[in-house]
Amino acid sequence: MSIEGSLKKVTTQTVREAKLTGTRLTMLTAYDFTMARLLDRAGIDIFLVGDSLGMVIAGYETTLPVTVDQMIYHSSAVVRGTTRALVITDMPFMSYQVTAEEALINAGRIMKESGVSGVKLEGGKAVAATINKIVSAGIPVMGHLGLTPQSIHQFGSYKVRAKEKTEAEQLISDARALEAAGCFAIVLEKVPAQLAAQVTASLSIPTIGIGAGPSCDGQVLVSYDMLGLFTEFKPRFARRYDDLGSRIIESARRYADDVRNKKFPSAEESY
């Protein structure tokens, strides 16, 4: 089942109801107006304005340098290009980890200045009280467990998380804490498929997997990975549905050749 055929605006309530009806949720990252417009026409349910833009748009090595101002700028562009999809924005590194009060101020600013419908935070029990404070103010929150890229220096690598029993038990406990704190959905990134299935079955809110197997209630990919635009590395879970990177290079070469050989512009393309 899917909700692609529906022209109704996707909301957090739509996402919650998908869990009850067995409707699979589709989610992709979007960082600008043009991409958002195209993906919206494709019927994608949720857009994540991910702090992954730090890597695929800005060229940073990690997501850590991304600022609240950058997230607001890109989120505003995505919102302007979106009619149907639910738009959620990542709260960047250190915008919510200091105090719950500062987190609420930053979340409120992102909502007010960008027009998105919610924010996403990484972490489990350690951020549950913060999430509860944000949700209590009327701001929807999506959780994120497993491989949390903002903690990359703590992890030391991008390897699969929660393979060991202790960490797996902690992830299950964290997921329940996020649900209790008021999250409307949780992203599970790069965890064993069996564990993701167990977490999904234990929650009343949807899980959205990325490298977490087929049993999650939905799936998310970085659009630049899925389209073959970002080719610096290829995660095992990132199925490539096109090779737009190579196609863009070829198109640019053809353009350059036409200019150099005086084949562009033609008389018909001139005034």
Side-chain angles (χ1 to χ4, degrees), residues 100-255:
E101 289 73 20
E102 183 177 334
L104 176 57
I105 291 170
N106 286 326
R109 185 177 165 223
I110 289 171
M111 295 284 287
K112 284 173 66 69
E113 296 183 28
S114 70
V116 298
S117 296
V119 296
K120 181 168 76 63
L121 279 66
E122 296 181 5
K125 288 182 179 179
V127 295
T130 296
I131 289 173
N132 183 255
K133 190 174 187 68
I134 295 172
V135 171
S136 295
I139 300 173
V141 174
M142 178 180 286
H144 186 151
L145 295 172
L147 176 64
T148 47
Q150 291 178 15
S151 302
I152 184 57
H153 291 307
Q154 180 181 8
F155 292 152
S157 74
Y158 288 100
K159 68 180 181 180
V160 176
R161 305 305 309 174
K163 292 178 70 175
E164 302 300 326
K165 181 180 179 181
T166 300
E167 190 178 355
E169 290 175 345
Q170 182 63 54
L171 189 141
I172 293 171
S173 179
D174 283 339
R176 290 172 179 160
L178 294 186
E179 179 179 36
C183 285
F184 71 91
I186 299 175
V187 170
L188 298 177
E189 179 169 358
K190 216 165 183 182
V191 299
Q194 186 175 0
L195 175 62
Q198 183 179 351
V199 172
T200 299
S202 70
L203 300 177
S204 63
I205 59 174
T207 61
I208 300 176
I210 178 166
S215 296
C216 294
D217 299 300
Q219 297 292 329
V220 58
L221 285 176
V222 172
S223 56
Y224 277 45
D225 290 340
M226 185 270 291
L227 294 170
L229 287 168
F230 187 71
T231 58
E232 275 63 22
F233 69 96
K234 184 182 182 299
R236 173 178 172 180
F237 57 77
R239 182 181 296 184
R240 191 166 287 174
Y241 283 83
D242 210 324
D243 188 14
L244 295 189
S246 296
R247 291 167 62 181
I248 288 172
I249 292 170
E250 177 58 27
S251 295
R253 284 174 175 162
R254 288 167 52 204
Y255 160 75

Side-chain angles (χ1 to χ4, degrees), residues 35-46:
M35 184 66 80
R37 179 62 58 88
L38 294 172
L39 297 179
D40 202 46
R41 290 173 179 171
I44 300 302
D45 302 319
I46 309 168

